PDB file of all heavy atoms in Angstrom:
ATOM      1  N   HIS C 125     -11.962 135.018 165.059  1.00  0.00           N
ATOM      2  CA  HIS C 125     -11.422 134.803 163.715  1.00  0.00           C
ATOM      3  C   HIS C 125     -12.065 133.409 163.186  1.00  0.00           C
ATOM      4  O   HIS C 125     -12.449 132.494 163.879  1.00  0.00           O
ATOM      5  CB  HIS C 125      -9.867 134.475 163.852  1.00  0.00           C
ATOM      6  CG  HIS C 125      -9.281 134.503 162.485  1.00  0.00           C
ATOM      7  ND1 HIS C 125      -9.231 133.423 161.731  1.00  0.00           N
ATOM      8  CD2 HIS C 125      -8.594 135.571 161.858  1.00  0.00           C
ATOM      9  CE1 HIS C 125      -8.463 133.628 160.626  1.00  0.00           C
ATOM     10  NE2 HIS C 125      -8.153 134.909 160.651  1.00  0.00           N
ATOM     11  N   GLU C 126     -12.271 133.356 161.813  1.00  0.00           N
ATOM     12  CA  GLU C 126     -12.933 132.298 161.209  1.00  0.00           C
ATOM     13  C   GLU C 126     -12.262 130.893 161.435  1.00  0.00           C
ATOM     14  O   GLU C 126     -13.003 129.917 161.672  1.00  0.00           O
ATOM     15  CB  GLU C 126     -13.149 132.548 159.667  1.00  0.00           C
ATOM     16  CG  GLU C 126     -11.755 132.643 159.018  1.00  0.00           C
ATOM     17  CD  GLU C 126     -12.016 132.919 157.503  1.00  0.00           C
ATOM     18  OE1 GLU C 126     -13.143 132.986 157.111  1.00  0.00           O
ATOM     19  OE2 GLU C 126     -11.028 133.236 156.835  1.00  0.00           O
ATOM     20  N   THR C 127     -10.995 130.896 161.641  1.00  0.00           N
ATOM     21  CA  THR C 127     -10.304 129.744 161.787  1.00  0.00           C
ATOM     22  C   THR C 127     -10.546 129.244 163.196  1.00  0.00           C
ATOM     23  O   THR C 127     -10.684 127.974 163.476  1.00  0.00           O
ATOM     24  CB  THR C 127      -8.768 129.894 161.576  1.00  0.00           C
ATOM     25  OG1 THR C 127      -8.535 130.227 160.221  1.00  0.00           O
ATOM     26  CG2 THR C 127      -8.049 128.585 161.952  1.00  0.00           C
ATOM     27  N   VAL C 128     -10.600 130.091 164.107  1.00  0.00           N
ATOM     28  CA  VAL C 128     -10.978 129.705 165.535  1.00  0.00           C
ATOM     29  C   VAL C 128     -12.305 129.314 165.634  1.00  0.00           C
ATOM     30  O   VAL C 128     -12.704 128.272 166.399  1.00  0.00           O
ATOM     31  CB  VAL C 128     -10.693 130.948 166.509  1.00  0.00           C
ATOM     32  CG1 VAL C 128     -11.039 130.564 167.931  1.00  0.00           C
ATOM     33  CG2 VAL C 128      -9.095 131.196 166.470  1.00  0.00           C
ATOM     34  N   ARG C 129     -13.333 129.932 165.109  1.00  0.00           N
ATOM     35  CA  ARG C 129     -14.727 129.644 165.159  1.00  0.00           C
ATOM     36  C   ARG C 129     -14.967 128.364 164.468  1.00  0.00           C
ATOM     37  O   ARG C 129     -15.889 127.539 164.958  1.00  0.00           O
ATOM     38  CB  ARG C 129     -15.687 130.747 164.510  1.00  0.00           C
ATOM     39  CG  ARG C 129     -15.568 132.062 165.232  1.00  0.00           C
ATOM     40  CD  ARG C 129     -16.232 133.153 164.580  1.00  0.00           C
ATOM     41  NE  ARG C 129     -17.622 132.905 164.377  1.00  0.00           N
ATOM     42  CZ  ARG C 129     -18.590 133.260 165.323  1.00  0.00           C
ATOM     43  NH1 ARG C 129     -18.286 133.814 166.378  1.00  0.00           N
ATOM     44  NH2 ARG C 129     -19.832 132.883 164.967  1.00  0.00           N
ATOM     45  N   ALA C 130     -14.264 128.023 163.349  1.00  0.00           N
ATOM     46  CA  ALA C 130     -14.465 126.767 162.740  1.00  0.00           C
ATOM     47  C   ALA C 130     -14.077 125.634 163.575  1.00  0.00           C
ATOM     48  O   ALA C 130     -14.497 124.456 163.378  1.00  0.00           O
ATOM     49  CB  ALA C 130     -13.731 126.768 161.385  1.00  0.00           C
ATOM     50  N   GLN C 131     -12.942 125.674 164.366  1.00  0.00           N
ATOM     51  CA  GLN C 131     -12.528 124.697 165.181  1.00  0.00           C
ATOM     52  C   GLN C 131     -12.512 125.217 166.737  1.00  0.00           C
ATOM     53  O   GLN C 131     -11.433 125.676 167.127  1.00  0.00           O
ATOM     54  CB  GLN C 131     -11.158 124.226 164.775  1.00  0.00           C
ATOM     55  CG  GLN C 131     -11.081 123.647 163.412  1.00  0.00           C
ATOM     56  CD  GLN C 131      -9.525 123.369 163.052  1.00  0.00           C
ATOM     57  OE1 GLN C 131      -8.984 122.540 163.564  1.00  0.00           O
ATOM     58  NE2 GLN C 131      -9.072 124.018 161.900  1.00  0.00           N
ATOM     59  N   PRO C 132     -13.630 125.076 167.342  1.00  0.00           N
ATOM     60  CA  PRO C 132     -13.750 125.730 168.697  1.00  0.00           C
ATOM     61  C   PRO C 132     -12.771 125.403 169.705  1.00  0.00           C
ATOM     62  O   PRO C 132     -12.531 126.146 170.571  1.00  0.00           O
ATOM     63  CB  PRO C 132     -15.117 125.278 169.197  1.00  0.00           C
ATOM     64  CG  PRO C 132     -15.885 124.973 167.834  1.00  0.00           C
ATOM     65  CD  PRO C 132     -14.874 124.556 166.802  1.00  0.00           C
ATOM     66  N   VAL C 133     -12.040 124.182 169.549  1.00  0.00           N
ATOM     67  CA  VAL C 133     -11.039 123.891 170.568  1.00  0.00           C
ATOM     68  C   VAL C 133      -9.850 125.003 170.495  1.00  0.00           C
ATOM     69  O   VAL C 133      -9.241 125.106 171.529  1.00  0.00           O
ATOM     70  CB  VAL C 133     -10.477 122.408 170.241  1.00  0.00           C
ATOM     71  CG1 VAL C 133      -9.828 122.393 168.847  1.00  0.00           C
ATOM     72  CG2 VAL C 133      -9.516 122.053 171.450  1.00  0.00           C
ATOM     73  N   LEU C 134      -9.759 125.681 169.361  1.00  0.00           N
ATOM     74  CA  LEU C 134      -8.730 126.707 169.312  1.00  0.00           C
ATOM     75  C   LEU C 134      -9.050 127.817 170.111  1.00  0.00           C
ATOM     76  O   LEU C 134      -8.242 128.719 170.335  1.00  0.00           O
ATOM     77  CB  LEU C 134      -8.529 127.098 167.807  1.00  0.00           C
ATOM     78  CG  LEU C 134      -7.836 126.008 166.946  1.00  0.00           C
ATOM     79  CD1 LEU C 134      -7.718 126.545 165.496  1.00  0.00           C
ATOM     80  CD2 LEU C 134      -6.436 125.632 167.451  1.00  0.00           C
ATOM     81  N   SER C 135     -10.234 127.921 170.549  1.00  0.00           N
ATOM     82  CA  SER C 135     -10.554 129.000 171.561  1.00  0.00           C
ATOM     83  C   SER C 135      -9.743 128.963 172.680  1.00  0.00           C
ATOM     84  O   SER C 135      -9.339 129.938 173.464  1.00  0.00           O
ATOM     85  CB  SER C 135     -12.064 129.003 171.826  1.00  0.00           C
ATOM     86  OG  SER C 135     -12.383 127.919 172.550  1.00  0.00           O
ATOM     87  N   ASP C 136      -9.320 127.766 173.200  1.00  0.00           N
ATOM     88  CA  ASP C 136      -8.456 127.504 174.306  1.00  0.00           C
ATOM     89  C   ASP C 136      -7.066 128.144 174.005  1.00  0.00           C
ATOM     90  O   ASP C 136      -6.391 128.813 174.856  1.00  0.00           O
ATOM     91  CB  ASP C 136      -8.312 126.110 174.663  1.00  0.00           C
ATOM     92  CG  ASP C 136      -9.647 125.464 175.181  1.00  0.00           C
ATOM     93  OD1 ASP C 136     -10.500 126.233 175.630  1.00  0.00           O
ATOM     94  OD2 ASP C 136      -9.748 124.299 175.264  1.00  0.00           O
ATOM     95  N   TRP C 137      -6.555 127.905 172.820  1.00  0.00           N
ATOM     96  CA  TRP C 137      -5.339 128.439 172.347  1.00  0.00           C
ATOM     97  C   TRP C 137      -5.434 129.994 172.478  1.00  0.00           C
ATOM     98  O   TRP C 137      -4.458 130.709 172.835  1.00  0.00           O
ATOM     99  CB  TRP C 137      -4.995 127.857 170.984  1.00  0.00           C
ATOM    100  CG  TRP C 137      -3.739 128.640 170.366  1.00  0.00           C
ATOM    101  CD1 TRP C 137      -2.543 128.528 170.609  1.00  0.00           C
ATOM    102  CD2 TRP C 137      -4.021 129.454 169.225  1.00  0.00           C
ATOM    103  NE1 TRP C 137      -1.751 129.362 169.758  1.00  0.00           N
ATOM    104  CE2 TRP C 137      -2.562 129.886 168.885  1.00  0.00           C
ATOM    105  CE3 TRP C 137      -4.936 129.928 168.435  1.00  0.00           C
ATOM    106  CZ2 TRP C 137      -2.338 130.922 167.796  1.00  0.00           C
ATOM    107  CZ3 TRP C 137      -4.744 130.863 167.346  1.00  0.00           C
ATOM    108  CH2 TRP C 137      -3.350 131.182 167.092  1.00  0.00           C
ATOM    109  N   ALA C 138      -6.489 130.506 171.739  1.00  0.00           N
ATOM    110  CA  ALA C 138      -6.660 131.960 171.772  1.00  0.00           C
ATOM    111  C   ALA C 138      -6.635 132.509 173.226  1.00  0.00           C
ATOM    112  O   ALA C 138      -6.083 133.663 173.517  1.00  0.00           O
ATOM    113  CB  ALA C 138      -8.037 132.293 171.123  1.00  0.00           C
ATOM    114  N   ALA C 139      -7.321 131.876 174.180  1.00  0.00           N
ATOM    115  CA  ALA C 139      -7.338 132.223 175.520  1.00  0.00           C
ATOM    116  C   ALA C 139      -5.940 132.314 176.089  1.00  0.00           C
ATOM    117  O   ALA C 139      -5.564 133.199 176.904  1.00  0.00           O
ATOM    118  CB  ALA C 139      -8.222 131.436 176.396  1.00  0.00           C
ATOM    119  N   SER C 140      -5.159 131.245 175.777  1.00  0.00           N
ATOM    120  CA  SER C 140      -3.753 131.208 176.244  1.00  0.00           C
ATOM    121  C   SER C 140      -2.924 132.272 175.705  1.00  0.00           C
ATOM    122  O   SER C 140      -2.023 132.894 176.378  1.00  0.00           O
ATOM    123  CB  SER C 140      -3.152 129.853 175.981  1.00  0.00           C
ATOM    124  OG  SER C 140      -2.838 129.759 174.597  1.00  0.00           O
ATOM    125  N   CYS C 141      -3.111 132.634 174.372  1.00  0.00           N
ATOM    126  CA  CYS C 141      -2.476 133.852 173.836  1.00  0.00           C
ATOM    127  C   CYS C 141      -2.772 135.104 174.686  1.00  0.00           C
ATOM    128  O   CYS C 141      -1.926 135.965 174.780  1.00  0.00           O
ATOM    129  CB  CYS C 141      -2.808 133.902 172.335  1.00  0.00           C
ATOM    130  SG  CYS C 141      -2.236 132.644 171.322  1.00  0.00           S
ATOM    131  N   ARG C 142      -4.110 135.316 174.896  1.00  0.00           N
ATOM    132  CA  ARG C 142      -4.463 136.402 175.658  1.00  0.00           C
ATOM    133  C   ARG C 142      -3.760 136.414 177.019  1.00  0.00           C
ATOM    134  O   ARG C 142      -3.342 137.486 177.493  1.00  0.00           O
ATOM    135  CB  ARG C 142      -6.002 136.547 175.739  1.00  0.00           C
ATOM    136  CG  ARG C 142      -6.512 137.637 176.517  1.00  0.00           C
ATOM    137  CD  ARG C 142      -7.966 137.884 176.395  1.00  0.00           C
ATOM    138  NE  ARG C 142      -8.427 139.085 176.896  1.00  0.00           N
ATOM    139  CZ  ARG C 142      -9.595 139.715 176.662  1.00  0.00           C
ATOM    140  NH1 ARG C 142     -10.483 139.027 175.956  1.00  0.00           N
ATOM    141  NH2 ARG C 142      -9.919 140.872 177.327  1.00  0.00           N
ATOM    142  N   ALA C 143      -3.763 135.230 177.652  1.00  0.00           N
ATOM    143  CA  ALA C 143      -3.249 135.338 179.028  1.00  0.00           C
ATOM    144  C   ALA C 143      -1.727 135.670 178.991  1.00  0.00           C
ATOM    145  O   ALA C 143      -1.157 136.224 179.891  1.00  0.00           O
ATOM    146  CB  ALA C 143      -3.425 133.865 179.702  1.00  0.00           C
ATOM    147  N   ALA C 144      -1.057 135.243 177.842  1.00  0.00           N
ATOM    148  CA  ALA C 144       0.357 135.568 177.741  1.00  0.00           C
ATOM    149  C   ALA C 144       0.665 136.998 177.464  1.00  0.00           C
ATOM    150  O   ALA C 144       1.845 137.453 177.741  1.00  0.00           O
ATOM    151  CB  ALA C 144       0.979 134.602 176.648  1.00  0.00           C
ATOM    152  N   GLY C 145      -0.321 137.793 177.059  1.00  0.00           N
ATOM    153  CA  GLY C 145      -0.088 139.172 176.671  1.00  0.00           C
ATOM    154  C   GLY C 145       0.490 139.378 175.367  1.00  0.00           C
ATOM    155  O   GLY C 145       0.765 138.507 174.605  1.00  0.00           O
ATOM    156  N   VAL C 146       0.416 140.655 175.071  1.00  0.00           N
ATOM    157  CA  VAL C 146       1.025 140.988 173.757  1.00  0.00           C
ATOM    158  C   VAL C 146       2.490 140.839 173.641  1.00  0.00           C
ATOM    159  O   VAL C 146       3.242 140.776 174.701  1.00  0.00           O
ATOM    160  CB  VAL C 146       0.785 142.557 173.407  1.00  0.00           C
ATOM    161  CG1 VAL C 146      -0.878 142.795 173.225  1.00  0.00           C
ATOM    162  CG2 VAL C 146       1.371 143.467 174.521  1.00  0.00           C
ATOM    163  N   ILE C 147       2.998 140.458 172.548  1.00  0.00           N
ATOM    164  CA  ILE C 147       4.408 140.157 172.268  1.00  0.00           C
ATOM    165  C   ILE C 147       5.239 141.415 172.036  1.00  0.00           C
ATOM    166  O   ILE C 147       4.792 142.289 171.302  1.00  0.00           O
ATOM    167  CB  ILE C 147       4.611 139.311 171.052  1.00  0.00           C
ATOM    168  CG1 ILE C 147       3.756 137.925 171.294  1.00  0.00           C
ATOM    169  CG2 ILE C 147       5.940 138.805 170.779  1.00  0.00           C
ATOM    170  CD1 ILE C 147       3.563 137.088 170.170  1.00  0.00           C
ATOM    171  N   ALA C 148       6.307 141.569 172.874  1.00  0.00           N
ATOM    172  CA  ALA C 148       7.199 142.673 172.699  1.00  0.00           C
ATOM    173  C   ALA C 148       6.521 144.042 173.071  1.00  0.00           C
ATOM    174  O   ALA C 148       6.974 145.010 172.581  1.00  0.00           O
ATOM    175  CB  ALA C 148       7.886 142.700 171.396  1.00  0.00           C
ATOM    176  N   GLY C 149       5.441 143.882 173.791  1.00  0.00           N
ATOM    177  CA  GLY C 149       4.698 145.096 174.200  1.00  0.00           C
ATOM    178  C   GLY C 149       3.973 145.765 173.146  1.00  0.00           C
ATOM    179  O   GLY C 149       3.369 146.856 173.337  1.00  0.00           O
ATOM    180  N   SER C 150       3.708 145.069 172.083  1.00  0.00           N
ATOM    181  CA  SER C 150       3.010 145.705 170.873  1.00  0.00           C
ATOM    182  C   SER C 150       1.894 144.874 170.409  1.00  0.00           C
ATOM    183  O   SER C 150       2.050 143.810 169.964  1.00  0.00           O
ATOM    184  CB  SER C 150       4.130 145.910 169.671  1.00  0.00           C
ATOM    185  OG  SER C 150       3.419 146.264 168.521  1.00  0.00           O
TER     186      SER C 150
END
Side-chain angles (χ1 to χ4, degrees):
H125 193 279
E126 59 183 357
T127 297
V128 176
R129 291 171 65 87
Q131 299 178 60
V133 66
L134 289 178
S135 61
D136 293 342
W137 169 72
S140 72
C141 292
R142 179 170 189 166
V146 296
I147 300 170
S150 168

